[in-house]
């Protein structure tokens, strides 16, 4: 067996496992659940399942598998997301109008593409392997979005139904937070080229780190309750002007999915409604809220460079399995950045404006998907994602 055959066989196994996981995540949902779109920023489960399938069909099967024919020609329009080079698309806010095709037909679409991908991966052209890996990483991103989007959709239902009553939250950190000494001086960040990385993680480059400290764990719900009790949501001087305006306009008084009930605060989770656990990390906060909290605490958000450099520090907890962590860094290209060629070059570069970087991973991030150099990004007002914060400070 050649090296190419070995790589292709391993990739075929990964393909099957990741595609199966998407269906496992969708399994608790009814066809009605899978159709609803609760806001323009979220997409229906059914659309996620179809879009990631469209990716393999469009960028791998049509150009590289002789004789392949689309499952349905209309799907090229329905399930394109934002790839201008791939043709026109259904407007994002209208994805929830797709009562048809049914969830079952989307399943048939996935099976059709999977069968064709099995033929392609049996004897794949060498140049297709990186693109298959990109498609799998893309599907894993949508697995997390499937969970965050259905959580938002179910939260709009007055019954507050659970996605999965057996869903388990990650363990809370114990004890008070400690500030760890961060790296100083010249440091390198960015992909080393030793494994998969998105184009926005390149090129690797040198940065300078001034003396600083970074918290060993995330801010907890109990600490956030102290912020709330001290008027954190009522003190304009803690907030960026845009954030204060947004908080006032939308009447923010607590993290997203928190509800005041008799006996205290509760939180809507993938497992349903549960009392807020003071020891658990706070989640579903915007960058504006994270920044305001850091000011209230007399500290600041770490830069993405400080965060990445801290990944090797002894004692660092809750790195990639709890909540994505807001940083103080705007989402901009690394020095010397070049997007990938072709339509897949639209994947990251054109979004490098008006967004803030998050690092780490969350309880919804697929196993093996997170890595220290991963650059997630969202606009500063986003709250429906599994977002939290870790504090930092200058070391005077």
């Amino acid at each position: 067996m050649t090296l190419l055959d070995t790589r292709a066989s391993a990739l075929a196994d990964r393909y099957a496992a990741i595609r199966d996981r998407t269906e496992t995540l969708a399994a608790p949902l009814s066809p009605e659940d899978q159709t609803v779109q609760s806001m323009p920023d979220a997409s229906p489960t059914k659309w996620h399942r179809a879009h990631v399938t469209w990716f393999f069909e469009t960028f791998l099967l049509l150009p590289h598998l002789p004789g392949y024919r689309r499952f349905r020609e209309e799907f090229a329009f329905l399930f394109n997301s934002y790839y201008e080079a791939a043709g026109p698309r259904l407007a994002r806010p209208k994805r929830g109008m797709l009562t048809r095709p049914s969830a079952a037909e989307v399943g048939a679409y996935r099976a059709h593409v999977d069968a064709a991908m099995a033929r392609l991966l049996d004897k794949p052209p060498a140049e297709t392997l990186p693109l298959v890996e990109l498609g799998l990483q893309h599907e894993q991103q949508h697995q997390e979005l499937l969970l965050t989007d259905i959580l938002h959709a179910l939260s709009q239902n007055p019954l507050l139904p659970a996605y999965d009553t057996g869903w388990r939250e990650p363990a809370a950190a114990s004890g008070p937070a400690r500030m760890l000494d961060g790296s100083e001086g010249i440091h390198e960040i960015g992909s080393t080229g030793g494994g998969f990385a998105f184009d926005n993680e390149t090129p690797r480059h040198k940065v300078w780190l001034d003396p600083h400290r970074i918290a060993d764990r995330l801010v907890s719900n109990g600490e956030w309750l102290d912020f709330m009790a001290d008027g954190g949501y009522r003190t304009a001087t803690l907030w960026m002007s845009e954030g204060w305006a947004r908080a006032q306009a939308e009447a923010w008084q607590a993290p997203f999915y928190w509800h005041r009930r008799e006996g205290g605060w509760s939180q809507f989770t993938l497992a349903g409604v549960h009392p807020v656990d003071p020891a658990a990390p706070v989640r579903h906060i915007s960058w504006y809220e994270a920044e305001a909290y850091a000011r209230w605490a007399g500290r600041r958000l770490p830069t993405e460079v400080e965060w990445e450099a801290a990944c090797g520090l002894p004692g660092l907890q809750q790195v990639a399995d709890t909540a994505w962590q807001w940083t103080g860094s705007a989402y901009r290209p690394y020095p010397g950045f070049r997007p990938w060629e072709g339509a897949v070059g639209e994947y990251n570069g054109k979004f490098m404006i008006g967004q803030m970087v998050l690092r780490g991973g969350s309880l919804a991030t697929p196993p093996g998907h997170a890595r220290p150099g991963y650059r997630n990004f969202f606009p500063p007002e986003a709250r429906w994602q599994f977002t939290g914060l870790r504090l930092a400070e200058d070391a005077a």
Side-chain angles (χ1 to χ4, degrees), residues 50 55 78 98 107 109 114 117 194 231 237 245 267 271 288 306 353:
F55 187 97
L78 295 182
L98 297 177
Y109 177 37
D114 288 346
M117 284 295 298
T237 52
Q267 181 176 14
Y288 293 132
E306 291 169 342
I353 185 66

Side-chain angles (χ1 to χ4, degrees), residues 179-199:
M179 300 303 290
L180 308 175
D181 290 329
S183 301
E184 299 180 31
I186 295 176
H187 189 81
E188 288 192 352
I189 67 165
S191 173
T192 62
F196 177 83
F198 289 111
D199 58 357

Side-chain angles (χ1 to χ4, degrees), residues 21-29 34 43-46 48-49 110 139-153 163 270 364 385-386:
R21 185 174 189 271
T22 300
E23 293 303 282
T24 298
L25 291 174
L29 303 173
Q34 292 198 40
S43 296
T45 299
K46 183 173 66 177
H48 284 301
R49 293 171 61 218
R110 288 178 64 87
E139 180 140 356
Q140 287 181 307
Q141 289 182 314
H142 279 270
Q143 288 172 352
E144 180 156 359
L145 289 171
L146 185 157
L147 292 173
T148 58
D149 291 357
I150 197 61
L151 179 65
H152 186 272
Y163 160 76
L270 289 167
Q385 294 295 315
F386 292 101

